[in-house]
Amino acid sequence: QVQLVESGGGLVQAGGSLRLSCAASGRTFSRYAMGYFRQAPGKEREFVAAISWSGESTYYADSVKGRFTISRDNAKNTVYLQMNSLKPEDTAVYYCVRGIGSSASPPLRYDYWGQGTQVTVSS
């Protein structure tokens, strides 16, 4: 069983930054793509970003491109989402997910997800 534990969410003013972290259990972290989805109240869960097993390939939703950066440290079994220039519309619960394979090419299919971390951006 894989466990994904997110941290780093919180309340920030528009224009501010947050860095989310996702720590994964297990020895096979480096074999899989990882990603983030988010879900705002009353809306469906949507793709945010993904990163391949090696970190060489990354993909972003158009709404966050140029503002968010996904990265990973396979030695620490951790994936990060650096969020800059935050907007009120970025307010959501952010979920870390594990891809079902090593590629992060969209659409990212995943088999495990974390408990989520709340990000709230005030105007």
Side-chain angles (χ1 to χ4, degrees):
Q1 185 73 11
V2 173
Q3 288 187 322
L4 303 174
V5 180
E6 298 107 330
S7 61
L11 173 64
V12 64
Q13 289 188 334
S17 299
L18 283 174
R19 188 195 196 201
L20 305 184
S21 298
C22 172
S25 65
R27 301 180 180 179
T28 60
F29 174 81
S30 62
R31 298 181 187 176
Y32 296 93
M34 299 293 293
Y36 277 93
F37 282 71
R38 68 186 181 186
Q39 187 166 20
K43 295 187 177 181
E44 294 187 354
R45 189 173 295 188
E46 64 174 358
F47 169 77
V48 175
I51 187 167
S52 64
W53 69 276
S54 65
E56 290 184 356
S57 298
T58 56
Y59 302 88
Y60 298 92
D62 287 343
S63 59
V64 308
K65 203 171 293 183
R67 301 187 297 121
F68 290 11
T69 302
I70 190 169
S71 61
R72 67 189 296 162
D73 185 337
N74 286 342
K76 296 182 178 180
N77 277 20
T78 302
V79 62
Y80 305 96
L81 185 68
Q82 178 67 44
M83 304 185 295
N84 298 330
S85 302
L86 282 162
K87 304 175 181 180
E89 51 263 43
D90 294 319
T91 295
V93 177
Y94 284 70
Y95 296 92
C96 172
V97 302
R98 192 188 81 166
I100 63 171
S102 60
S103 172
S105 298
L108 180 69
R109 294 187 295 166
Y110 53 92
D111 53 3
Y112 291 97
W113 58 93
Q115 82 286 355
T117 186
Q118 177 70 46
V119 172
T120 303
V121 184
S122 62
S123 56

